[in-house]
Amino acid sequence: MASSYLSPMRRLSRTFRLLLALSLVVVLFAAWTEANRPVIGPHGRLALTLFRSGLDSLPVLKGDYFWTSGRCAGCHGRDLLGEASIDPATGHDVNVVNDWRSSLMANSARDPFFRAKLDHEVLVNPDHAEGLSNKCLSCHAPMAMHEERMAGRPAFTIAMLDTSVLASDGVSCLACHMQSPGPAGQSFSGDLHFDSARVYGPYADDQINPNIMEFFVGLTPGFGDHIVNSEVCAGCHTLITQTVDLDGNYTGDEFVEQATYHEWKNSVYSANGTQCNTCHMPRIEGPVILAAEYAFLNGQTPYGLHHLVGGNVHMLELMKANREALGVPATEAQFDSTIFRSRVLLTQRTLDVDVDLMDRTSDTAFFGVRLQNRAGHRFPSGYPSRRAFVRLVVRDAFGDTVFVSGDFDGTYEVVGHDAVYEPHYDVIRQEDQVQIYELVMGDVNGDPTTVLERAKLPLKDNRLVPLGFSTSHPSYDTTRIAGNVLSDPDFNRTLQNEEGSGTDVVHYHVPLNGTTGALYATAEVYYQSMPPAWNAEMFGFHSARIDTFRTMLSESDGTPILVASDSVALGPLGVAQRPVERITVLPNPTADGTIEIRYRATDVVEVLAVYAADGRAVPARPDRRAGGWRLDLPVAAGLYFVHLRVNGAAVLQRVVRQ
């Protein structure tokens, strides 16, 4: 009886299991079909989810508010089909992720100089560790720092830096693109404000397809005016610190550690709408498809290249050499591209130098070296360790050195540098006098310091100001010049003694010591981001980060970067110069069409006419000023020839109007 009863039950159980298995197959098939149904373009949810995750060395992590760059790379990194992020004019891959990943922005939290300096500040004032961490990491690890703040949790600290994936992502994609438009350009010193569900870009809402980003990262993209102007840079690129005395007590004073954004505000570039991204994120016309694997999307134009370079070639080379130890997810080739772009920006778009023989006597040659700042902010700008200096070398006809000011030694230190700091010069007469453009911080006792918390006032700030800079501008309170430069009659002054030239002229009175033959003078301007004297105070302390940086720095090539140079030759004493050698036309090229024609007071110079490149005479009204002529070229860019008469001899000067 039991056996005959169990047999049908077993048969029913087998039937039930079979039906259940079939049902599961149907459900799985339906799920697979749904997962692969093209819901956003040609790909299904499963395929795209798998495709967008883990295919790059960048980290993929979602915090409470921010995604790391690895998630963004799924769409905005390299397109395996070669359709998205391609410059149609050249066929080159211009994806934003690969351009960004080897920049100092991407590696702001890995930067060994920053990490060592943060340790230095904490070792000097250990009771301020939390405040120092909050201030510094707000910009160097913004997503990690501000996520803790937005979530209402205890502040992110330096102790969390090494283990936080959000922190190691540095100034990542969403650190800029999630910034709220309202406070942008109004809040500074790392006081950044973010929207919790919006991502801002440069294209109008009706130009983009928001569904893709909403699906993959749960954020809605849209247009943000602050993204296409300088306001998005302001929160970190003006930094005001609180001063402490030598015992670590707050004094109530404030110090402007850097003010690159306000330097731009106090310039002609802010007035004419030239934004930070004009140089640091150059535009191409496109059209460029923005998302990988989505060839059906409209191409966008203009397209901003995420080069994000500045002048810190030394740190880029150091990080390239130590990229594995620092955990940098960028290749040597990517670093090489960023280093090359940095050199181009520094050497071709930052500074113009002109050296001119002003006069010569039996015992002295008089040279003028004119520097024109072409950057949209001070040069140097940013972190106060950075400096530039002028090297003038005068040689005789045999190549022997007659005079040199601004040479540097095997430790990369400037020869003749004063033990305290080198003052600003209008006139240089000795080889141990050197023109160095820098910010020197002073503590409560008026002594130089490199401890940022101890900075109370600038003892010296003669860094070259941008075109249009004015001491009456509302931003001058954060962009002050300081030191001997205040009495320099031609610093930021035109021949008409008007502010805003963005120039400085260094006058050299070179003793010839009996040399009467031909001379050849070369003026060179060099740049250093981490000069030896700046690090000396920090290297008096020890920590893992300081010692690591000390080793990396000692193994790197700290040779100053040559930014610009010019030369002039003159014949033996008593041999008259050719007329063309007796005048100087500045600037050339000219960006705004205005040029100055300079010559010695003993010369007679007349402006006869101006011709276009095709030989046509064009209208130009010369204006005689003290020490020369001022001339406005036509509005149209191109090549022009200025016809002059110099002491009765005809001279034709070639000038480029940009």
Side-chain angles (χ1 to χ4, degrees):
M1 288 288 293
S3 177
S4 63
Y5 175 76
L6 291 174
S7 181
M9 290 299 294
R10 290 193 182 101
R11 287 196 297 271
L12 181 61
S13 178
R14 285 197 298 270
T15 302
F16 177 77
R17 290 198 301 269
L18 179 60
L19 290 173
L20 181 60
L22 289 172
S23 298
L24 289 173
V25 170
V26 170
V27 170
L28 289 172
F29 180 77
W32 179 264
T33 302
E34 173 62 20
N36 286 278
R37 183 171 63 85
V39 291
I40 310 172
H43 303 291
R45 294 178 184 273
L46 179 60
L48 281 174
T49 300
L50 292 173
F51 176 77
R52 303 300 190 207
S53 301
L55 297 183
D56 194 285
S57 58
L58 293 169
V60 179
L61 176 73
K62 184 182 187 305
D64 294 325
Y65 298 97
F66 300 104
W67 280 98
T68 57
S69 56
R71 192 60 162 169
C72 303
C75 281
H76 299 296
R78 178 171 173 264
D79 182 0
L80 299 179
L81 298 181
E83 296 170 334
S85 300
I86 300 297
D87 181 357
T90 64
H92 294 160
D93 185 333
V94 290
N95 80 78
V96 298
V97 174
N98 282 357
D99 281 350
W100 161 86
R101 68 198 302 155
S102 50
S103 69
L104 286 178
M105 299 282 278
N107 297 289
S108 58
R110 300 184 183 95
D111 179 341
F113 185 23
F114 156 70
R115 293 163 74 94
K117 193 66 180 75
L118 180 53
D119 267 17
H120 175 212
E121 296 284 329
V122 171
L123 288 169
V124 171
N125 289 304
D127 292 341
H128 300 172
E130 182 176 340
L132 287 164
S133 297
N134 293 349
K135 181 64 68 178
C136 298
L137 296 175
S138 290
C139 289
H140 279 266
M143 295 194 304
M145 178 68 204
H146 291 285
E147 173 139 311
E148 299 304 295
R149 175 184 59 79
M150 294 163 69
R153 293 190 287 266
F156 188 87
T157 67
I158 189 172
M160 304 159 68
L161 186 60
D162 290 331
T163 58
S164 170
V165 176
L166 279 177
S168 66
D169 218 29
V171 183
S172 188
C173 315
L174 297 182
C176 294
H177 287 279
M178 278 183 67
Q179 284 194 42
S180 305
Q186 303 298 320
S187 57
F188 313 106
S189 303
D191 182 21
L192 307 181
H193 299 266
F194 298 94
D195 283 341
S196 60
R198 291 280 292 179
V199 176
Y200 297 96
Y203 306 114
D205 292 356
D206 59 3
Q207 290 180 264
I208 61 175
N209 183 340
N211 299 325
I212 302 171
M213 186 174 291
E214 288 173 346
F215 172 73
F216 283 114
V217 295
L219 300 171
T220 300
F223 174 73
D225 185 70
H226 62 304
I227 290 294
V228 295
N229 63 41
S230 302
E231 291 174 352
V232 75
C233 310
C236 285
H237 289 286
T238 287
L239 174 58
I240 300 172
T241 57
Q242 307 300 311
T243 301
V244 302
D245 62 23
L246 301 189
D247 295 320
N249 302 309
Y250 288 100
T251 66
D253 298 303
E254 293 183 332
F255 182 77
V256 181
E257 187 249 29
Q258 61 176 283
T260 306
Y261 174 74
H262 282 88
E263 292 163 12
W264 168 81
K265 292 285 286 185
N266 191 357
S267 77
V268 70
Y269 305 103
S270 173
N272 68 20
T274 302
Q275 307 295 333
C276 301
N277 54 35
T278 303
C279 294
H280 299 283
M281 296 179 65
R283 269 40 179 171
I284 59 174
E285 287 307 310
V288 176
I289 298 171
L290 300 183
E293 309 297 308
Y294 284 100
F296 67 88
L297 290 175
N298 295 327
Q300 303 293 349
T301 187
Y303 177 84
L305 300 171
H306 282 50
H307 291 170
L308 298 164
V309 297
N312 200 344
V313 173
H314 187 185
M315 177 51 70
L316 288 169
E317 291 177 335
L318 185 152
M319 294 188 79
K320 172 191 170 185
N322 297 279
R323 61 190 183 86
E324 293 183 2
L326 296 171
V328 179
T331 66
E332 289 192 6
Q334 288 161 347
F335 265 113
D336 287 341
S337 295
T338 300
I339 290 168
F340 173 78
R341 293 165 186 151
S342 299
R343 285 188 179 274
V344 168
L345 182 66
L346 187 59
T347 61
Q348 297 183 18
R349 302 191 62 182
T350 298
L351 188 72
D352 287 333
V353 175
D354 294 280
V355 58
D356 184 38
L357 174 69
M358 311 303 292
D359 201 356
R360 178 176 180 173
T361 66
S362 59
D363 58 2
T364 307
F366 300 87
F367 296 94
V369 176
R370 183 180 188 270
L371 295 86
Q372 171 77 61
N373 182 11
R374 294 175 57 199
H377 44 70
R378 275 180 156 161
F379 173 71
S381 184
Y383 192 70
S385 68
R386 299 164 183 175
R387 71 180 184 185
F389 60 92
V390 182
R391 179 175 183 257
L392 180 78
V393 181
V394 181
R395 296 182 174 88
D396 62 20
F398 302 100
D400 295 328
T401 299
V402 175
F403 178 90
V404 57
S405 162
D407 212 350
F408 52 90
D409 60 25
T411 69
Y412 316 122
E413 186 55 87
V414 175
V415 175
H417 187 282
D418 285 2
V420 183
Y421 64 89
E422 192 78 2
H424 174 86
Y425 295 98
D426 178 40
V427 180
I428 288 178
R429 297 180 173 86
Q430 302 168 196
E431 291 187 328
D432 62 352
Q433 297 174 332
V434 185
Q435 188 72 310
I436 302 177
Y437 296 97
E438 61 185 343
L439 166 62
V440 177
M441 305 186 302
D443 63 21
V444 292
N445 293 333
D447 296 322
T449 182
T450 61
V451 179
L452 300 178
E453 267 205 309
R454 288 180 174 173
K456 178 184 178 181
L457 75 166
L459 302 178
K460 170 190 176 184
D461 194 346
N462 67 334
R463 295 172 296 170
L464 292 166
V465 297
L467 184 67
F469 183 93
S470 170
T471 56
S472 61
H473 191 275
S475 294
Y476 184 64
D477 60 340
T478 53
T479 58
R480 292 181 179 275
I481 57 178
N484 293 354
V485 65
L486 291 168
S487 59
D488 187 335
D490 51 33
F491 184 87
N492 193 38
R493 295 279 176 175
T494 67
L495 288 176
Q496 297 74 43
N497 199 32
E498 299 169 345
E499 274 192 312
S501 67
T503 63
D504 185 32
V505 179
V506 189
H507 304 274
Y508 290 84
H509 297 179
V510 176
L512 297 180
N513 301 317
T515 301
T516 58
L519 298 174
Y520 186 79
T522 300
E524 300 167 322
V525 178
Y526 288 90
Y527 172 75
Q528 289 177 298
S529 57
M530 299 176 288
W534 177 271
N535 295 315
E537 192 170 3
M538 177 173 66
F539 286 161
F541 292 80
H542 290 276
S543 75
R545 295 188 180 101
I546 291 174
D547 294 342
T548 294
F549 174 61
R550 181 191 288 108
T551 300
M552 290 180 176
L553 184 65
S554 67
E555 294 173 350
S556 70
D557 182 2
T559 303
I561 306 295
L562 177 61
V563 179
S565 64
D566 189 37
S567 300
V568 63
L570 57 150
L573 185 66
V575 177
Q577 284 182 278
R578 293 182 299 128
V580 70
E581 295 173 342
R582 300 181 71 90
I583 63 169
T584 302
V585 178
L586 298 170
N588 190 10
T590 171
D592 60 4
T594 299
I595 59 173
E596 295 176 356
I597 302 168
R598 299 178 176 181
Y599 49 89
R600 293 185 295 188
T602 55
D603 292 332
V604 178
V605 178
E606 301 171 81
V607 180
L608 303 180
V610 178
Y611 301 97
D614 59 6
R616 293 178 296 107
V618 295
R621 289 186 296 182
D623 182 15
R624 186 185 292 276
R625 304 293 179 92
W629 291 89
R630 177 172 176 164
L631 186 65
D632 292 322
L633 298 176
V635 174
L639 179 64
Y640 293 91
F641 294 92
V642 182
H643 186 193
L644 305 170
R645 182 181 291 124
V646 181
N647 298 332
V651 171
L652 207 59
Q653 274 288 334
R654 176 181 179 273
V655 182
V656 176
R657 168 72 155 96
Q658 293 180 331

